[in-house]
Amino acid sequence: MSMNKFREAFRDVAKHYSELYPQRFCLAEDEDRDILNFIKSNDNGFDIQLECMDYGVYPSSDGWHTGCWDVAVIPPSNLRDVMVEFIESILQDAELVIHSSNGKPYRWIMRYQVEGERVEDETGLILFNWFGKRSVRTLSNFR
């Protein structure tokens, strides 16, 4: 069975970064999905996972996740550019802001570059300890 163009584009970029930074990127290839793991660069950094199936890529990190980079929206020819821009942002300027209540995370905000603009992509829990002691941590891989 041949691999579709979307996964092929994903693997091209994933292999490039795995070879360029072998100590920080790890690509796991499987029949139904490929996973690119990025290992944080410092104690105040964060890990990233890009999971690719034939129909889309799912980015996630330490509780944060965003919607699927869907093949219907991002054609294989553009996936390479989207991935490179995301990965370069993770390496150079992205931040993961984690809000906690009594030490338990309940809200995650990823700040990164997409299509040449800085975005804040937020994930959160509906139920959390509203009255708990709140704290905020900002993680980055470039500091």
Side-chain angles (χ1 to χ4, degrees), residues 69-82:
W69 298 345
D70 195 297
V71 69
V73 178
I74 302 172
S77 58
N78 291 6
L79 180 62
R80 286 178 179 86
D81 295 337
V82 170

Side-chain angles (χ1 to χ4, degrees), residues 1 10 19 22 57 61 63 84 124 132:
M1 183 173 141
F10 177 88
E19 291 168 2
V57 176
S61 174
V84 166

Side-chain angles (χ1 to χ4, degrees), residues 88-100:
E88 288 298 322
S89 185
I90 295 303
L91 290 169
Q92 298 173 18
D93 63 8
E95 295 178 325
L96 178 62
V97 181
I98 303 173
H99 294 256
S100 298

